[in-house]
Amino acid sequence: MMYKHSPYELKVIYPPLINLFYYIVHFFIADEAFAQGSLAVRASQSGRIVISLYFIISTVLLTYGIMKLKKGDLNKKIFFVLTMILTYPFLYLMERGNSAILCLIFLMFFIYGYKSDKKYIRHLAYISLAIAASIKIYPALFGLLIIRDKDWKGAMWAIIYGVIIFFVPFVFFGGFKNIGLFIQNILNCIDMMADQGAGFKVSIGNAFRILEQYLGTKNSLEIVATIFKLIILVGGSILIIFGKYKEKWKLFMVPTMIMVLIPDFSFIYSMVYFIIPLIYFLDEKSKIENRKEKILNIIYFVLFAGMFITIPNLLPEWFEIFENDHYPLTLPTLIDNIVVVIFMCILWVDISYFSIKNILEKKRLLNHYLNRKMYFNFIKRYSYTKTLFSTIRK
């Protein structure tokens, strides 16, 4: 809201669609507040009204999205919504007033409708994905779900909607010439965030940054972190398109993991995206009958709890090496980074094992079928030859 017509000249990293939203919202706030800075905007009467309305409307829409995706009776759905609202990532999201909640709402509608039998619902889902990607960029990864289903026409429409919704709003902010400036701002922000400390962020880069500070070797693991990011991006994309899944929540968890772990400026509020796979996890866990799978699901449940648990922002004595950072590391941030990395490792191995097992089983069945076919062909030919010789002798 503070940057109006010139966000990219002033180092803003947000895509133009969300800047357009903020620009429209700024008309509802008194001009005097803008003259005194962003804190004055939040403290002003008109600013508080706008922020309160934003919280109320977005929370209502999020509740509606959860109600549509979650199975079970109304009481269970309401309990789940209240639990999510009181989690650490959601509280931090509300405190920051970040647009990630809007992104999550549109992602929920995409998940709800991208496989619908109704054509208009599918197209609304593609538009929702385009809007989500035009708010935070990385939700575009969910488009791989359409490619996975080999819905090439749907993928084409999703790309068309994405290009239009992402790029057209640049017209309001200096034109398409500012696309390069927008990209440069993002790259500069990545470098800046790396120097501001490990607090309130959760990503692969942040996990390695924490390790570097403990070892006292700054930037020594930067190349290793970059390699891990590439592995997560490429490996995760392959798992989305070609992986085999017994449970739907694991399929949704893979792009969500990539969304959270790849960006270096992924703050704690990004964890709210895990609400989508969590909904399907809770709905599907009752179907598990295998003992080993039940044990694995208990581990997954504990890890989900670790992601969302609300604990005080403690700064123990052994965190002293971080206390001078702009964003000093706190206990919840450390827990979130550890939990997400462990979750990713277990999930990647789990999906890979099931996929390989599934492929080998299909290969075994195919070989069995071919062997039986060869056997019956041999018997048929043998019987025919035997009949032929019997006829000749006669």
Side-chain angles (χ1 to χ4, degrees):
M1 287 187 288
M2 298 296 298
Y3 307 108
K4 299 185 180 180
H5 280 298
S6 308
Y8 301 112
E9 289 83 355
L10 297 170
K11 312 301 181 185
V12 170
I13 64 169
Y14 303 121
L17 180 67
I18 194 65
N19 282 325
L20 182 60
F21 170 74
Y22 290 144
Y23 179 71
I24 294 169
V25 169
H26 104 276
F27 287 109
F28 297 92
I29 299 174
D31 291 335
E32 300 79 31
F34 284 104
Q36 299 174 43
S38 58
L39 292 178
V41 171
R42 297 184 69 170
S44 67
Q45 185 181 45
S46 56
R48 289 179 179 180
I49 291 171
V50 168
I51 292 170
S52 298
L53 286 173
Y54 173 74
F55 287 161
I56 293 168
I57 294 170
S58 58
T59 304
V60 168
L61 290 173
L62 178 65
T63 302
Y64 178 76
I66 291 173
M67 293 288 187
K68 296 297 286 185
L69 291 182
K70 185 87 176 69
K71 295 178 182 177
D73 57 46
L74 183 61
N75 290 334
K76 287 182 179 179
K77 291 180 179 181
I78 293 173
F79 179 75
F80 180 80
V81 169
L82 292 175
T83 303
M84 290 298 101
I85 288 174
L86 295 175
T87 59
Y88 178 55
F90 191 86
L91 292 173
Y92 186 62
L93 172 67
M94 290 291 100
E95 191 273 334
R96 300 302 300 170
N98 196 272
S99 57
I101 189 170
L102 300 178
C103 183
L104 175 60
I105 291 165
F106 284 108
L107 270 180
M108 281 183 167
F109 189 83
F110 168 72
I111 294 296
Y112 173 76
Y114 84 101
K115 278 187 155 185
S116 174
D117 293 331
K118 297 177 181 178
K119 186 177 179 180
Y120 79 95
I121 294 291
R122 290 200 307 275
H123 279 264
L124 287 174
Y126 303 150
I127 293 171
S128 294
L129 178 62
I131 294 173
S134 298
I135 294 173
K136 288 291 184 180
I137 301 177
Y138 35 86
L141 285 161
F142 276 81
L144 294 175
L145 296 175
I146 307 173
I147 295 174
R148 173 187 173 81
D149 294 336
K150 297 180 181 178
D151 182 4
W152 309 118
K153 191 174 180 180
M156 181 193 70
W157 276 112
I159 291 169
I160 291 171
Y161 291 137
V163 169
I164 293 171
I165 293 172
F166 189 92
F167 288 104
V168 168
F170 271 106
V171 172
F172 299 95
F173 303 105
F176 298 117
K177 62 183 175 63
N178 274 341
I179 294 174
L181 189 56
F182 164 63
I183 295 170
Q184 186 60 50
N185 290 346
I186 293 175
L187 296 175
N188 291 339
C189 181
I190 292 172
D191 293 334
M192 181 187 72
M193 285 295 175
D195 295 327
Q196 291 192 340
F200 306 108
K201 288 176 284 185
V202 53
S203 66
I204 280 292
N206 204 52
F208 276 99
R209 207 165 292 123
I210 293 169
L211 187 58
E212 283 175 349
Q213 284 191 254
Y214 269 119
L215 297 174
T217 55
K218 190 176 181 181
N219 298 328
S220 61
L221 300 175
E222 192 172 345
I223 295 175
V224 179
T226 303
I227 292 170
F228 266 85
K229 288 177 190 177
L230 288 172
I231 292 171
I232 292 169
L233 180 61
V234 176
S237 300
I238 291 170
L239 286 179
I240 294 169
I241 298 172
F242 301 108
K244 305 298 178 183
Y245 297 86
K246 187 177 180 180
E247 297 132 304
K248 195 182 291 184
W249 75 266
K250 293 178 181 177
L251 174 59
F252 297 147
M253 191 65 166
V254 177
T256 309
M257 279 283 185
I258 301 173
M259 281 173 53
V260 173
L261 287 172
I262 294 294
D264 277 335
F265 42 80
S266 180
F267 281 82
I268 293 296
Y269 50 68
S270 300
M271 304 280 281
V272 296
Y273 298 126
F274 289 117
I275 290 175
I276 293 175
L278 177 60
I279 289 172
Y280 285 89
F281 170 77
L282 294 174
D283 287 342
E284 294 174 353
K285 68 182 181 67
S286 59
K287 299 176 184 178
I288 303 298
E289 297 178 357
N290 185 288
R291 185 172 177 273
K292 290 182 180 178
E293 290 180 354
K294 283 185 177 180
I295 293 171
L296 187 58
N297 265 24
I298 291 171
I299 295 171
Y300 284 137
F301 180 81
V302 172
L303 291 171
F304 268 122
M307 288 179 179
F308 289 101
I309 190 169
T310 303
I311 59 176
N313 257 332
L314 300 175
L315 194 65
E317 291 182 7
W318 40 286
F319 280 29
E320 288 179 356
I321 56 174
F322 303 100
E323 63 184 4
N324 294 323
D325 293 340
H326 183 75
Y327 295 117
L329 180 67
T330 58
L331 188 59
T333 305
L334 179 63
I335 290 172
D336 282 336
N337 277 273
I338 293 172
V339 166
V340 174
V341 171
I342 292 173
F343 205 138
M344 181 202 68
C345 293
I346 295 174
L347 185 68
W348 257 235
V349 172
D350 183 15
I351 296 170
S352 300
Y353 171 76
F354 183 77
S355 299
I356 294 169
K357 183 181 175 183
N358 188 274
I359 291 168
L360 292 176
E361 180 65 20
K362 284 184 177 180
K363 187 177 179 181
R364 187 187 67 81
L365 291 173
L366 179 62
N367 289 336
H368 179 70
Y369 169 77
L370 291 174
N371 288 336
R372 283 177 62 87
K373 191 174 181 181
M374 288 173 65
Y375 172 75
F376 285 118
N377 283 340
F378 172 78
I379 295 297
K380 188 177 179 181
R381 289 175 182 176
Y382 173 77
S383 301
Y384 175 77
T385 306
K386 188 176 179 181
T387 305
L388 183 62
F389 275 110
S390 298
T391 305
I392 292 171
R393 283 175 185 173
K394 290 178 182 179

